[in-house]
Amino acid sequence: MDKYLKDFDLPHKHSSEAALRRWRSAVTIVKNRRRRFRDVANLAKRSEAEQQKLKIKENLRVAFYVQKAALQFIDASGRVEPRLSEETRDAGFGIDPDELASMVRGHDIIGLKVHGGLEGLARKVRVSLDEGVKSCDVAMRQKIYGLNRYTEKPSRTFLMFVWDALLDLTLIILIICAVISIGVGLPTEGWPEGMYDGVGILVSIFLVVLVTAISDYRQSLQFRDLDKEKKKIFVQVTRDGYRQKISIYDLVVGDIVHLSIGDQVPADGVFILGYFLLIDESSLSGESEPVRISEEKPFLLSGTKVTDGSGKMLVTTVGMRTEWGRLMETLTEGGYDETPLQVKLNGVATLIGKIGLAFAVLTLVVLVVRFLVEKALHKEFTDWSSSDALTLLNYFAIAVTIVVVAVPEGLPLAVTLSLAFAMKKLMNDKALVRHLSACETMGSATCICTDKTGTLTTNHMVVHKIWICGKAEELEGSKSTDILKSIISERVSSILLQAIFQNTSSEVVKDKDGKNIIMGTPTESALLEFGLLLGGNFDAERKEYKIVKVEPFNSIKKKMSVLVALPDGRLRAFCKGGSEIILSMCDKIVDHDGKSIPLSEVQVSEITDIINGFASEALRTLCLAFKDMDDTSDENNIPIYGYTLIIVVGIKDPVRPGVKDAVQTCLAAGITVRMVTGDNIYTAKAIAKECGILTEGGLAIEGPEFRSKSLEEMKEIIPKLQVMARSLPLDKHTLVIHLRKLYDEVVAVTGDGTNDAPALHEADIGLAMGIAGTEVAKENADVIIMDDNFSTIVNVAKWGRAVYINIQKFVQFQLTVNVVALVLNFVSACISGSAPLTAVQLLWVNLIMDTLGALALATEPPNDALMKRPPVGRSVSFITRTMWRNIIGQSIYQLIIIGVISVYGKRLLRLSGSDASEIIDTFIFNTFVFCQLFNEINSRDIEKVNIFRDIFDSWVFIIVMVCTVGFQIIIVEFLGTFASTVPLSWQLWLLSILIGAVGMPVAVVLKCLPVETDTSSIQHDGYEALPSGSEQA
């Protein structure tokens, strides 16, 4: 089949517009285009949205330059005092919302000075730059200056989904047929007999439309919940005098927002203070060069990204008054990209639809020709009545209904249903899927490149060991205070506390109850806790010294430096970071008296051994150092050598519970786990061994060594590579590229920092950390791991596999029904001149195999067995030989049974009398339905014999089966007038069920038939070879 589906091949990520247009044009047989293409990207709207975004960006850039020139002119000629609205004045504010928005958007530095600069602006928006907004003022600020929300498209109502379902072309034709049937039937057959056929079709259509609409509406609600979760972004603000986290939607004008690397600026604002704050404005202006924010360039725009440094800003404009607010309106216009599986099944549906259409036309031709021949033989060719018209109309309705059943419209929609169900479940399990295709692709992952800190470990850090003044000590809670005071002199303690409290991007703040809370990264929090343990006072230390310059930590430099002005006017530099990096910058060391003495080669060797010893105990090692500057005029440069080493710190970050089992699950599933970390190689190896990642024969390498390898050397080492330490984000990116291109691996990669964005973007599945991850990392990721836990990643892989296998189950089930229904109607039409199943009955069968079948099979939860088989490769056939074996085998069985009943049913069942034909027709319909129901149970496992495993865990499956049986009883026993059925005896009911149930032992026999010639344990399509004995059961 794959050779007919070449136009429906789509990459997992970064699909070109040409590829998206190609498969759309290849879809020719569609019953309901609006419903089929509802969940795929609207390329026309997307193109319009892109044009609008470019226009907004260009307008912003032009407006900036025009306003700059205008401001110079205005400054020369004198400014017009802006008028203050009465509402704003009554609320006590001194500046109007539109004027404030215009000033920041136009970078009007002169206007800012006119309002008294930052302090004057703060007074006009009634806020203290130290205390922040008062909670009691939030409602008033929202009323005057607006909410920080963007205009969104209204959600689709249930009636819209009903209308979508009604737009099915075949259903429209059937509605017309039903109306004509009623119109012709009433004059010929009278009331109410003339109504039955038409009303039966209309009722069936109503049921199909209702069930379809309910299913689609529920699915849309799941996506809506997912979208809400995606938009949850929290920022740190100072409110009511203390620092706290709030949602960006709760931001108001006047809020003091804290920004750090990787954050998205949540609103327009003015810079208060900060260090080396670099902003990427490309999302708004299109300019690729980051902008340095300072007192001379104080304006920050919503939607831009912090690429380096840290700072605080005063919020001046929120929501739709910002340029970002206008841009956000266009972001979802084009919809989301479709997944490869959706596209592939659109191809399958198109191919089968063409075959079904051909069969429907052939069936109609055969029925009409037979009818005309019979009229000619009876010499009635010129004698036509309304009953003849009804017969031809009935033939046409049957042909149309065959198309309804034959075109598997539900195939691509079942993928969306399954993905929506999986994404909802994963959201409850702390994994937020941002891109639909990621959930699907994760099931094929062959390699996971994971970070160490916070993913494999708990990220709850504490200083466990130190080496200072030539002595190593292990810290044990409060007892450590006395020990530390006994080995550290007051002068050493003073320098150490300066190094801890001055050289940090974290803060010690008071909560509502006045207790100390540390706000910052886990590593810095551990150091600050250590400083507080020594008796230090964070606020006192920060007030005593003035910070002159800061070089924030990033994953490339692996260090953080700060330059401070001492009370006597001298400058002192502090540096902390990766232990061997800081040690290489030192030529002196602090002695017991706090004096700097030369650092000998012997001491360097001893300290290196200490560092490696700490690292071998799985501790994260850091060094802290300082340097007194001789030249007080050099305030712009922080030195890179000549430091004095103060302390070596070993920070404990325990491995998460369950990580080792999760890694073993991955290995059993054919997924290689590689650790890529910036930590010391000894720390990395110790943690990797504890997690089960580093195995015998596995390779651990440092980033610099990896970078120095040639391509040929990389080809040799990458298959054995299990740990990469002291790596840069570029190393992770390079590893991902080589794994994908050289080894055709499906790679999942984790990341949390801004610099991880290229690797997350390049990988097949980018996994960002929800707690430690920056907004930039999350934006470039496909899945956000909200609890930063490796076990959650494994759960995503399991659900990805479940989606793939569930769709395969549904496809196997639906294609079996397609084959049987097509062949049965065509052969019957050729032989007897009538179809065994009426239009109403076929509509009911269509509902069973389409919407209800998708609900039952496409929403089954994963089981542990899914993680005991290899991943499915990139280029394998979706419909496997095993599936074809099951489809053909079950189809043959059902066709033989129904064929025998059709020909010999009256004789075998000893039926006679005027109603014998109606009983046989009803019995065929009933048997056909039960064959499908039992085949639905068979489809729960494509290969294994035990189809009942975990069946009660799938409550949706149970509900669908019970409802289907219940409604089948109602149709046969009570709706006979409309459905062309008669009540059956309990013996015939039992026989129908038994015949359907025989399909289960037939399935067992089929599963014992080999379908591969390869005798290896792994089949070509990525499945395990068929088990035998107890394993098969």
Side-chain angles (χ1 to χ4, degrees):
M1 184 179 275
D2 283 351
K3 64 182 178 181
Y4 299 109
L5 300 175
K6 290 178 182 175
D7 290 334
F8 295 91
D9 281 332
L10 202 69
H12 290 292
K13 285 177 81 170
H14 319 310
S15 303
S16 67
E17 188 171 326
L20 295 175
R21 291 192 183 280
R22 186 180 65 241
W23 82 260
R24 282 166 173 74
S25 62
V27 177
T28 51
I29 306 292
V30 185
K31 295 189 297 182
N32 189 340
R33 184 166 288 273
R34 182 157 167 172
R35 183 168 178 252
R36 175 84 75 90
F37 291 105
R38 184 177 57 224
D39 295 311
V40 301
N42 186 321
L43 299 182
K45 281 192 176 181
R46 180 176 288 185
S47 178
E48 286 175 20
E50 282 299 321
Q51 292 299 320
Q52 193 175 343
K53 283 163 72 176
L54 289 172
K55 192 175 178 182
I56 290 172
K57 286 182 180 181
E58 189 60 30
N59 288 347
L60 181 69
R61 194 158 41 180
V62 170
F64 172 62
Y65 291 119
V66 169
Q67 193 158 1
K68 202 172 183 183
L71 289 172
Q72 291 175 350
F73 174 76
I74 291 167
D75 191 48
S77 60
R79 284 178 174 258
V80 178
E81 185 67 28
R83 294 183 65 183
L84 197 63
S85 71
E86 195 173 323
E87 187 183 25
T88 306
R89 188 184 294 108
D90 290 344
F93 298 108
I95 187 167
D96 217 47
D98 291 328
E99 185 195 352
L100 196 51
S102 176
M103 180 178 67
V104 176
R105 187 168 58 240
H107 291 60
D108 183 2
I109 191 73
I110 298 169
L112 180 62
K113 288 177 181 175
V114 167
H115 285 290
L118 176 66
E119 287 76 15
L121 196 63
R123 284 194 299 273
K124 291 194 174 185
V125 294
R126 287 176 45 201
V127 69
S128 160
L129 295 177
D130 295 322
E131 300 289 317
V133 167
K134 293 178 180 176
S135 295
C136 58
D137 291 342
V138 168
M140 177 61 76
R141 290 175 185 274
Q142 288 178 335
K143 182 182 176 184
I144 301 298
Y145 292 102
L147 298 165
N148 197 30
R149 292 184 179 272
Y150 313 115
T151 304
E152 297 181 17
K153 288 195 301 183
S155 302
R156 290 169 61 86
T157 63
F158 175 69
L159 289 177
M160 289 180 177
F161 288 98
V162 172
W163 178 247
D164 281 357
L166 269 171
L167 290 177
D168 189 308
L169 181 61
T170 51
L171 294 185
I172 292 170
I173 294 170
L174 285 173
I175 290 170
I176 295 168
C177 289
V179 172
I180 294 172
S181 176
I182 293 169
V184 176
L186 281 173
T188 55
E189 298 179 29
W191 172 271
E193 286 80 6
M195 296 277 292
Y196 291 153
D197 289 343
V199 171
I201 293 173
L202 290 175
V203 170
S204 300
I205 290 170
F206 171 77
L207 187 64
V208 168
V209 167
L210 187 65
V211 173
T212 302
I214 290 171
S215 174
D216 290 350
Y217 181 62
R218 282 180 55 80
Q219 185 178 300
S220 77
L221 292 179
Q222 289 175 326
F223 280 124
R224 197 189 304 172
D225 291 344
L226 196 69
D227 281 338
K228 282 181 184 175
E229 198 66 36
K230 284 181 193 176
K231 292 171 185 173
K232 281 185 181 177
I233 299 174
F234 291 88
V235 291
Q236 292 201 4
V237 300
T238 298
R239 265 193 193 179
D240 298 320
Y242 68 95
R243 194 161 158 178
Q244 54 187 287
K245 269 189 180 182
I246 65 167
S247 166
I248 58 165
Y249 298 121
D250 296 330
L251 271 182
V252 292
V253 169
D255 266 322
I256 311 298
V257 177
H258 300 257
L259 299 171
S260 56
I261 295 177
D263 285 347
Q264 177 175 302
V265 179
D268 288 359
V270 177
F271 176 75
I272 298 173
L273 61 87
Y275 308 103
F276 201 69
L277 188 61
L278 281 179
I279 300 292
D280 175 11
E281 293 186 347
S282 60
S283 58
L284 277 178
S285 66
E287 297 290 341
S288 56
E289 281 296 312
V291 178
R292 177 79 178 271
I293 301 297
S294 61
E295 290 179 4
E296 290 74 35
K297 285 187 177 179
F299 300 110
L300 295 113
L301 297 178
S302 177
T304 56
K305 310 287 191 306
V306 181
T307 58
D308 207 352
S310 60
K312 290 199 293 186
M313 66 174 265
L314 170 68
V315 174
T316 58
T317 319
V318 293
M320 293 305 295
R321 282 195 172 93
T322 67
E323 286 298 327
W324 185 248
R326 291 172 59 203
L327 268 177
M328 285 294 286
E329 277 189 289
T330 69
L331 289 183
T332 56
E333 276 297 304
Y336 303 106
D337 279 349
E338 50 273 24
T339 74
L341 204 51
Q342 280 176 317
V343 174
K344 181 78 77 178
L345 290 182
N346 264 293
V348 173
T350 301
L351 184 60
I352 295 170
K354 288 177 181 177
I355 297 168
L357 183 61
F359 267 86
V361 171
L362 275 173
T363 304
L364 180 61
V365 168
V366 169
L367 288 170
V368 172
V369 168
R370 279 186 63 105
F371 176 75
L372 294 175
V373 169
E374 284 180 7
K375 282 189 77 69
L377 288 174
H378 290 90
K379 297 179 181 179
E380 297 173 355
F381 199 78
T382 56
D383 183 20
W384 290 83
S385 65
S386 56
S387 62
D388 293 333
L390 274 175
T391 302
L392 289 174
L393 185 66
N394 187 45
Y395 289 162
F396 181 71
I398 287 169
V400 172
T401 314
I402 287 172
V403 175
V404 173
V405 177
V407 179
E409 198 88 351
L411 284 184
L413 299 171
V415 180
T416 313
L417 175 68
S418 186
L419 287 170
F421 183 78
M423 290 163 82
K424 179 73 174 175
K425 292 291 183 184
L426 282 169
M427 193 165 70
N428 296 336
D429 292 341
K430 303 296 182 186
L432 178 62
V433 180
R434 294 185 71 249
H435 299 138
L436 270 176
S437 58
C439 191
E440 187 180 294
T441 312
M442 195 64 192
S444 300
T446 58
C447 169
I448 298 174
C449 297
T450 177
D451 291 330
K452 174 187 76 70
T453 306
T455 309
L456 299 172
T457 59
T458 60
N459 219 15
H460 296 146
M461 300 191 188
V462 62
V463 176
H464 183 64
K465 280 189 173 183
I466 61 167
W467 182 89
I468 189 169
C469 300
K471 291 184 180 178
E473 290 291 337
E474 184 173 329
L475 305 183
E476 296 178 6
S478 56
K479 297 178 184 176
S480 309
T481 308
D482 296 334
I483 299 170
L484 289 171
K485 286 180 178 175
S486 66
I487 63 170
I488 302 175
S489 67
E490 192 172 326
R491 180 169 167 76
V492 173
S493 178
S494 174
I495 293 171
L496 176 58
L497 289 173
Q498 286 176 37
I500 292 171
F501 291 137
Q502 299 299 331
N503 190 18
T504 182
S505 60
S506 298
E507 289 184 67
V508 180
V509 297
K510 302 287 186 184
D511 65 5
K512 290 180 180 178
D513 303 321
K515 293 180 181 177
N516 283 336
I517 290 180
I518 299 173
M519 306 286 285
T521 65
T523 305
E524 292 207 323
S525 296
L527 286 173
L528 289 178
E529 274 187 39
F530 175 57
L532 295 173
L533 187 70
L534 288 172
N537 185 312
F538 179 83
D539 290 331
E541 288 280 349
R542 293 300 282 256
K543 285 174 183 174
E544 188 175 350
Y545 304 96
K546 181 189 175 186
I547 294 176
V548 177
K549 186 175 181 182
V550 175
E551 285 183 1
F553 179 88
N554 67 43
S555 52
I556 296 173
K557 295 179 291 187
K558 301 196 185 301
K559 64 184 178 70
M560 177 180 179
S561 306
V562 64
L563 194 62
V564 301
L566 302 178
D568 60 8
R570 290 183 301 123
L571 293 176
R572 177 174 288 171
F574 293 99
C575 191
K576 71 177 178 191
S579 45
E580 62 269 33
I581 294 168
I582 303 300
L583 183 59
S584 67
M585 295 166 62
C586 296
D587 57 11
K588 293 181 278 296
I589 188 171
V590 169
D591 68 2
H592 293 279
D593 299 321
K595 295 177 181 177
S596 297
I597 59 174
L599 184 64
S600 67
E601 289 294 324
V602 174
Q603 284 176 308
V604 169
S605 178
E606 287 176 357
I607 295 167
T608 302
D609 289 341
I610 291 291
I611 290 168
N612 293 341
F614 283 7
S616 298
E617 295 177 41
L619 301 178
R620 167 174 265 195
T621 60
L622 299 175
C623 286
L624 278 65
F626 79 99
K627 179 180 181 177
D628 286 322
M629 306 275 289
D630 298 324
D631 186 3
T632 56
S633 63
D634 192 7
E635 294 184 358
N636 294 321
N637 295 308
I638 299 178
I640 57 172
Y641 59 87
Y643 281 85
T644 300
L645 181 68
I646 304 172
I647 189 171
V648 178
V649 177
I651 296 175
K652 190 174 185 179
D653 184 15
V655 171
R656 285 183 182 272
V659 162
K660 188 169 185 178
D661 291 338
V663 170
Q664 291 306 312
T665 300
C666 284
L667 297 177
I671 303 171
T672 305
V673 182
R674 293 179 169 92
M675 180 201 287
V676 184
T677 179
D679 266 346
N680 179 299
I681 192 164
Y682 293 101
T683 306
K685 285 165 76 173
I687 293 287
K689 284 178 181 174
E690 190 176 345
C691 295
I693 293 172
L694 186 60
T695 58
E696 193 173 341
L699 176 66
I701 193 172
E702 289 189 315
E705 186 183 349
F706 177 77
R707 289 194 295 279
S708 67
K709 299 287 183 187
S710 66
L711 184 61
E712 289 303 315
E713 289 174 319
M714 281 191 180
K715 282 183 182 178
E716 189 179 335
I717 66 167
I718 285 176
K720 298 180 287 183
L721 181 63
Q722 292 177 340
V723 176
M724 191 191 297
R726 283 290 180 240
S727 67
L728 301 178
L730 182 64
D731 299 327
K732 188 187 285 187
H733 186 244
T734 304
L735 178 61
V736 169
I737 290 173
H738 288 328
L739 283 167
R740 294 184 72 233
K741 294 188 176 175
L742 299 180
Y743 300 96
D744 201 32
E745 298 240 24
V746 179
V747 184
V749 65
T750 69
D752 51 21
T754 305
N755 292 316
D756 286 325
L760 292 169
H761 189 261
E762 178 65 32
D764 294 287
I765 311 102
L767 304 159
M769 299 297 108
I771 299 171
T774 62
E775 288 306 316
V776 173
K778 292 174 187 176
E779 194 175 275
N780 282 275
D782 303 296
V783 181
I784 299 172
I785 307 301
M786 292 188 285
D787 61 354
D788 291 12
N789 194 337
F790 185 80
S791 299
T792 305
I793 298 173
V794 179
N795 201 31
V796 175
K798 187 191 286 189
W799 269 103
R801 292 187 175 198
V803 166
Y804 190 88
I805 197 73
N806 284 348
I807 300 303
Q808 282 189 315
K809 294 173 188 176
F810 175 63
V811 168
Q812 176 181 296
F813 166 68
Q814 189 166 55
L815 291 188
T816 306
V817 185
N818 281 134
V819 170
V820 176
L822 284 177
V823 175
L824 184 64
N825 279 281
F826 178 69
V827 172
S828 179
C830 292
I831 295 172
S832 66
S834 64
L837 299 178
T838 66
V840 173
Q841 291 169 358
L842 281 172
L843 281 170
W844 170 235
V845 170
N846 178 65
L847 189 61
I848 292 172
M849 76 170 193
D850 201 328
T851 308
L852 295 178
L855 278 171
L857 292 170
T859 59
E860 287 218 284
N863 56 62
D864 292 337
L866 290 173
M867 298 303 284
K868 293 177 182 174
R869 61 196 304 168
V872 179
R874 286 183 191 272
S875 56
V876 301
S877 174
F878 178 74
I879 304 178
T880 64
R881 295 184 190 180
T882 308
M883 291 167 66
W884 280 122
R885 176 199 64 193
N886 296 341
I887 291 165
I888 294 167
Q890 283 291 338
S891 299
I892 290 171
Y893 164 70
Q894 291 183 24
L895 287 168
I896 289 172
I897 287 295
I898 292 169
V900 168
I901 296 171
S902 298
V903 179
Y904 305 107
K906 291 180 185 178
R907 192 189 314 164
L908 291 172
L909 298 174
R910 297 175 184 173
L911 294 173
S912 59
S914 59
D915 63 346
S917 296
E918 287 86 348
I919 291 173
I920 283 295
D921 289 343
T922 304
F923 181 66
I924 289 171
F925 167 57
N926 207 38
T927 303
F928 180 79
V929 168
F930 276 101
C931 281
Q932 307 324 313
L933 288 176
F934 281 100
N935 189 40
E936 200 166 349
I937 299 171
N938 285 331
S939 298
R940 289 194 71 248
D941 201 306
I942 293 169
E943 293 181 320
K944 300 287 178 68
V945 171
N946 185 6
I947 52 177
F948 295 105
R949 181 176 55 187
D950 302 327
I951 192 168
F952 292 107
D953 291 342
S954 180
W955 57 269
V956 178
F957 186 90
I958 298 295
I959 290 172
V960 167
M961 295 299 288
V962 170
C963 290
T964 306
V965 171
F967 206 77
Q968 178 66 14
I969 293 169
I970 292 169
I971 286 174
V972 172
E973 296 295 321
F974 305 107
L975 298 179
T977 310
F978 300 102
S980 303
T981 59
V982 294
L984 298 177
S985 65
W986 69 267
Q987 292 93 338
L988 290 179
W989 270 102
L990 184 59
L991 186 58
S992 293
I993 294 168
L994 286 174
I995 291 170
V998 170
M1000 298 172 82
V1002 168
V1004 172
V1005 173
L1006 289 171
K1007 288 172 183 176
C1008 293
L1009 298 177
V1011 290
E1012 300 293 335
T1013 54
D1014 185 12
T1015 56
S1016 66
S1017 61
I1018 310 291
Q1019 297 181 9
H1020 80 291
D1021 57 7
Y1023 291 128
E1024 294 175 14
L1026 197 66
S1028 57
S1030 59
E1031 173 59 21
Q1032 186 174 17

